[in-house]
Amino acid sequence: MFLAIMIILAVTPLGFIPIGPINATTMHIPVIIASIVLGPRIGAGLGAVFGVISLARSTIFITPMSFVFSPFIANPLTNQGDWRALIIAILPRILIGVVPYFVYQGLHHLMKQKARPVSLFIAGLAGSMTNTILVMNLIFFFFKDSYANVLKVAADAVYGVIIGIIFGSGLVEAIVAGIATMGVCAVLLRLMKK
């Protein structure tokens, strides 16, 4: 079911929403929910699928930033693809399926049943921010100069742009993910208990 939802999001405009040079995404929400409800193995597997979808999408629908998610797209400064794009496309997405499970379990253990909605919200927030923080920082570490070139900013200003994205669209994505996780997981966990 979660895989079907991810495929629907991937082939419709609902999964990747263009905002300037980056795409806001809702693709991580089913991964976060699956992580909490079905465990970190299934969550990590769905996260890997999200990473592969991201890689395929960046290879097929070429944008100025496609080179950071696909080794098949030439970096504008080197005119070659870079294998490190695989790390950016896949590793953070796998961790989206692991981090929320452990955040939820830890908070749920500390705060007990009464604070389940808060635990679910924070777990959803943590899963989304895991993706945003890792992706943006890996872009900085691997492709700082190329990223600066695409954005037409000085290389020493790139991290300021990245921080702006993390606290701008990244925070909005995280709040949406937290609310969705809180609403959907509360129902699914109750159904699974029955």
Side-chain angles (χ1 to χ4, degrees):
M1 181 180 79
F2 288 105
L3 185 58
I5 291 168
M6 288 176 66
I7 290 168
I8 290 168
L9 289 173
V11 298
T12 65
L14 299 172
F16 294 93
I17 304 155
I19 300 175
I22 60 161
N23 284 318
T25 185
T26 57
M27 290 280 297
H28 60 301
I29 295 172
V31 177
I32 293 168
I33 293 169
S35 170
I36 294 168
V37 175
L38 302 173
R41 276 197 195 132
I42 292 173
L46 286 172
V49 169
F50 171 23
V52 170
I53 289 171
S54 178
L55 184 147
R57 186 175 168 82
S58 292
T59 304
I60 296 166
F61 302 108
I62 299 171
T63 68
M65 294 304 301
S66 288
F67 71 95
V68 302
F69 296 109
S70 174
F72 307 110
I73 304 300
N75 180 324
L77 291 184
T78 64
N79 262 348
Q80 296 178 338
D82 193 321
W83 65 270
R84 295 176 297 180
L86 289 172
I87 296 171
I88 297 172
I90 296 174
L91 181 66
R93 279 57 189 272
I94 289 172
L95 292 174
I96 295 171
V98 177
V99 170
Y101 174 82
F102 290 105
V103 169
Y104 171 71
Q105 291 297 325
L107 290 172
H108 187 64
H109 179 73
L110 286 174
M111 298 192 289
K112 305 296 180 219
Q113 190 72 20
K114 293 175 192 165
R116 178 181 266 178
V118 174
S119 300
L120 289 170
F121 177 79
I122 293 171
L125 200 76
S128 183
M129 289 309 285
T130 296
N131 179 53
T132 304
I133 290 169
L134 282 176
V135 166
M136 296 312 298
N137 279 289
L138 287 170
I139 289 171
F140 177 77
F141 288 121
F142 294 152
F143 300 113
K144 178 175 101 173
D145 293 331
S146 303
Y147 193 67
N149 182 49
V150 169
L151 295 179
K152 301 194 182 339
V153 298
D156 57 354
V158 169
Y159 205 71
V161 172
I162 285 173
I163 292 294
I165 291 169
I166 290 170
F167 287 105
S169 64
L171 201 52
V172 172
E173 275 182 14
I175 291 168
V176 169
I179 292 168
T181 301
M182 183 174 59
V184 175
C185 283
V187 173
L188 290 177
L189 289 169
R190 209 174 309 123
L191 288 173
M192 287 181 73
K193 197 171 185 180
K194 288 181 181 177

